[in-house]
């Protein structure tokens, strides 16, 4: 879906020609600059990072040539992309770098760029400035809302000055679309919702890995298995999920819950987390969950797995996925991956997971923090093979 949408709006005879770049319909490929602020700091790629990693190989280089750049990146991220032999390069440009527009303009000249696809705040601000001067069409792509720092006056002003320089905008969710429209002032008619996507290769893995094979690999039998692929920071809803699972085990005493996670390392604490001491320390985050497991009598029935890079086995082995989020900003990408395995899910009725449920009807929505509703939904799906198959098929 992402590849088709991107190609459609990058077509030289369509959107670019309409916006008057002066390009002719030459036989050479379309040259596209991908520019993103960063792709997370701990190596666990967020939506933009996954798109960089997964989508670029899908393009036919005879038609579209992608030139991927990070404004900045941590050593962990650089290692992840280097290990994948990905050509993305780091510019080491800070968000207050006064020379950033000139550096980006030089890239456009170097690669003879026809379109800039700009991800997140600094890239979309600097890039649209260059686009306005050089006459290069720009696409803005956002995955999140403003949570890590206040929306400063200078960004507010620049967003309004540059709004008409936004040829097209992609939002990762309906919530993000509203933010781009109402806060960043991008014209609504230019915004399209483009949910997180997974590569075809991952779908192929899902078709080849059976539930039985995955369970054999994990040493499991036929007991009900729930799975949450998540992190351990605030507002993830893990405590409510554990309480709900404790209720489920009163009916299904052999049930198991896998918490597949990556330690949360904030490069900057989100607003509202400053007073939460344990949010600054991954070891404390894990200790809190371990204590919550023990206090609910779940030791042995909850298995914590520190791995977000290769969760495929856990998707395949599970019966029901869980997303008990208590904040609208958390990504649905792991649920989308679970859907590739035909796994229904129980999710709170906020943010991207709620949008997926409304659109695809592939699970059950429950109120935030409602342990009784969550446990009832978990039981309903786990105890009904026909319902599980129906929801998973959708």
């Amino acid at each position: 879906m992402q590849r088709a949408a991107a190609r459609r709006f990058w077509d030289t005879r369509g959107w670019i020609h309409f916006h008057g770049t002066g390009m002719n319909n030459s036989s050479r490929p379309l040259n596209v600059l991908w520019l993103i602020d960063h792709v997370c700091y701990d190596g666990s790629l967020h939506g933009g990072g996954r798109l960089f990693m997964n989508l670029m190989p899908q393009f036919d280089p005879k038609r579209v040539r992608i030139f991927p750049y990070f404004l900045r990146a941590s050593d962990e991220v650089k290692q992840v992309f280097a290990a994948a032999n990905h050509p993305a390069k780091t510019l080491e440009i800070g968000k207050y770098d006064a020379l950033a527009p000139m550096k980006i303009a030089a890239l456009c000249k170097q690669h003879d760029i026809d379109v800039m696809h700009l991800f997140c705040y600094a890239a979309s601000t600097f890039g649209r400035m260059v686009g306005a001067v050089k006459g290069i069409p720009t696409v803005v792509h956002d995955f999140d809302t403003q949570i890590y720092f206040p929306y400063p006056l200078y960004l507010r002003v620049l967003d309004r000055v540059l709004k008409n320089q936004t040829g097209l905008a992609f939002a990762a969710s309906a919530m993000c679309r509203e933010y781009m429209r109402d806060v960043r002032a991008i014209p609504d008619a230019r915004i399209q919702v483009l949910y997180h996507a997974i590569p075809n290769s991952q779908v192929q893995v899902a078709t080849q890995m059976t539930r039985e094979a995955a369970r054999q690999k994990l040493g499991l039998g036929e007991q009900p298995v729930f799975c949450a692929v998540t992190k351990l920071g605030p507002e993830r809803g893990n405590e409510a999920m554990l309480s709900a699972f404790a209720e489920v085990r009163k009916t299904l005493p052999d049930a198991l819950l896998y918490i597949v996670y990556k330690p949360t390392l904030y490069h900057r604490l989100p607003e509202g987390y400053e007073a939460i001491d344990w949010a600054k320390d991954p070891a404390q985050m894990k200790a809190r969950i371990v204590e919550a497991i023990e206090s609910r009598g779940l030791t042995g029935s909850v298995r914590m797995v520190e791995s977000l890079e290769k969760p495929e086995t856990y998707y395949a082995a599970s019966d029901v996925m869980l997303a008990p989020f208590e904040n609208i900003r958390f990504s649905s990408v792991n649920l989308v991956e679970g859907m590739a395995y035909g796994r229904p899910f129980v999710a709170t009725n906020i943010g991207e997971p709620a949008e997926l449920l409304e659109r695809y009807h592939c699970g059950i929505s429950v109120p935030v923090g409602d342990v009784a509703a969550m446990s009832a939904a978990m039981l309903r799906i786990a105890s009904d093979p026909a319902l599980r198959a129906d929801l998973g098929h959708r």
Side-chain angles (χ1 to χ4, degrees):
M1 178 180 69
Q2 284 191 335
R3 178 175 56 175
R7 177 67 212 181
R8 184 168 67 251
F9 289 104
W10 287 343
D11 190 271
T12 58
R13 291 162 296 188
W15 180 74
I16 295 173
H17 178 76
F18 176 78
H19 282 265
T21 64
M23 279 184 55
N24 56 36
N25 290 324
S26 64
S27 59
R28 74 161 175 80
L30 191 68
N31 293 333
V32 182
L33 177 68
W34 274 9
L35 186 64
I36 192 168
D37 292 12
H38 64 87
V39 289
C40 212
Y41 285 87
D42 59 3
S44 58
L45 305 181
H46 62 36
R50 288 171 180 263
L51 188 147
F52 262 58
M53 183 68 76
N54 296 330
L55 185 60
M56 183 176 169
Q58 306 299 319
F59 286 99
D60 180 355
K62 295 178 181 179
R63 298 183 63 200
V64 179
R65 285 188 300 211
I66 306 295
F67 297 90
Y69 286 88
F70 310 138
L71 289 184
R72 56 194 179 278
S74 67
D75 290 340
E76 290 84 355
V77 166
K78 292 176 184 177
Q79 291 168 7
V80 168
F81 278 82
N85 293 317
H86 195 283
K89 298 178 181 179
T90 305
L91 299 174
E92 305 298 349
I93 293 177
K95 62 183 178 182
Y96 300 117
D97 189 340
L99 298 179
M102 287 183 282
K103 295 175 182 177
I104 295 170
L107 281 180
C108 291
K109 182 177 180 180
Q110 175 186 342
H111 298 303
D112 195 15
I113 293 298
D114 302 311
V115 184
M116 286 186 283
H117 195 142
L118 309 167
F119 302 84
C120 307
Y121 258 97
S124 63
T125 300
F126 293 142
R128 285 184 295 172
M129 292 168 66
V130 173
V133 173
K134 297 293 186 179
I136 301 174
T138 57
V139 178
V140 173
H141 200 146
D142 272 353
F143 299 89
D144 211 338
T145 58
Q146 194 73 38
I147 57 167
Y148 291 105
F149 53 87
Y151 186 49
L153 179 61
Y154 79 92
L155 279 180
R156 184 179 296 275
V157 171
L158 286 172
D159 270 341
R160 279 143 187 81
V161 170
L162 296 169
K163 65 179 183 180
N164 290 323
Q165 182 57 33
T166 308
L168 179 73
F170 289 137
S173 66
M175 172 194 68
C176 186
R177 175 179 186 154
E178 292 172 359
Y179 182 76
M180 296 177 80
R181 179 194 66 205
D182 299 339
V183 178
R184 300 203 67 186
I186 294 175
D188 186 64
R190 301 184 187 183
I191 306 173
Q192 292 198 8
V193 175
L194 199 61
Y195 291 104
H196 296 288
I198 59 176
N200 290 334
S201 59
Q202 191 161 359
V203 177
Q204 292 169 0
V205 169
T207 62
Q208 296 167 1
M209 184 179 294
T210 66
R211 177 178 179 272
E212 292 72 22
R215 289 193 169 217
Q216 183 177 17
K217 184 175 181 180
L218 296 175
L220 301 177
E222 284 302 312
Q223 65 266 59
V225 176
F226 300 88
C227 180
V229 181
T230 186
K231 293 189 177 182
L232 306 183
E235 299 184 303
R236 291 281 174 173
N238 293 320
E239 291 83 357
M241 175 181 68
L242 289 170
S243 294
F245 181 62
E247 293 299 313
V248 167
R249 277 183 54 83
K250 294 177 182 178
T251 303
L252 301 174
D254 60 341
L256 289 176
L257 168 61
Y258 278 94
I259 300 178
V260 184
Y261 73 97
K262 177 112 178 169
T264 304
L265 301 173
Y266 295 111
H267 66 283
R268 182 185 289 108
L269 281 176
E271 287 187 275
Y273 290 5
E274 296 88 347
I276 305 176
D277 290 338
W278 58 269
K280 307 169 187 175
D281 184 355
Q284 287 191 52
M285 292 184 196
K286 181 178 179 179
R288 285 176 60 86
I289 298 301
V290 171
E291 181 183 358
I293 292 170
E294 293 174 349
S295 66
R296 291 163 175 78
L298 298 174
T299 302
S301 61
V302 177
R303 301 180 181 180
M304 297 184 67
V305 181
E306 186 177 332
S307 172
L308 273 184
E309 279 73 27
K310 296 292 183 181
E312 292 86 359
T313 303
Y314 302 96
Y315 291 138
S318 68
D319 295 306
V320 185
M321 300 290 296
L322 304 175
F325 303 151
E326 297 174 355
N327 190 302
I328 61 175
R329 68 184 180 84
F330 296 131
S331 169
S332 64
V333 66
N334 296 122
L335 290 181
V336 174
E337 291 175 346
M339 289 166 64
Y341 290 79
R343 300 299 178 259
F345 60 89
V346 175
T348 45
N349 58 353
I350 57 173
E352 293 179 24
E355 292 177 28
L356 288 176
L357 283 172
E358 182 178 354
R359 181 166 183 170
Y360 296 108
H361 308 287
C362 49
I364 298 177
S365 175
V366 298
V368 172
D370 191 329
V371 171
M374 192 180 303
S375 61
M378 293 165 66
L379 272 173
R380 181 183 172 194
I381 298 178
S383 303
D384 188 338
L387 174 63
R388 198 162 62 244
D390 179 52
L391 294 175
H393 180 71
R394 299 181 188 184

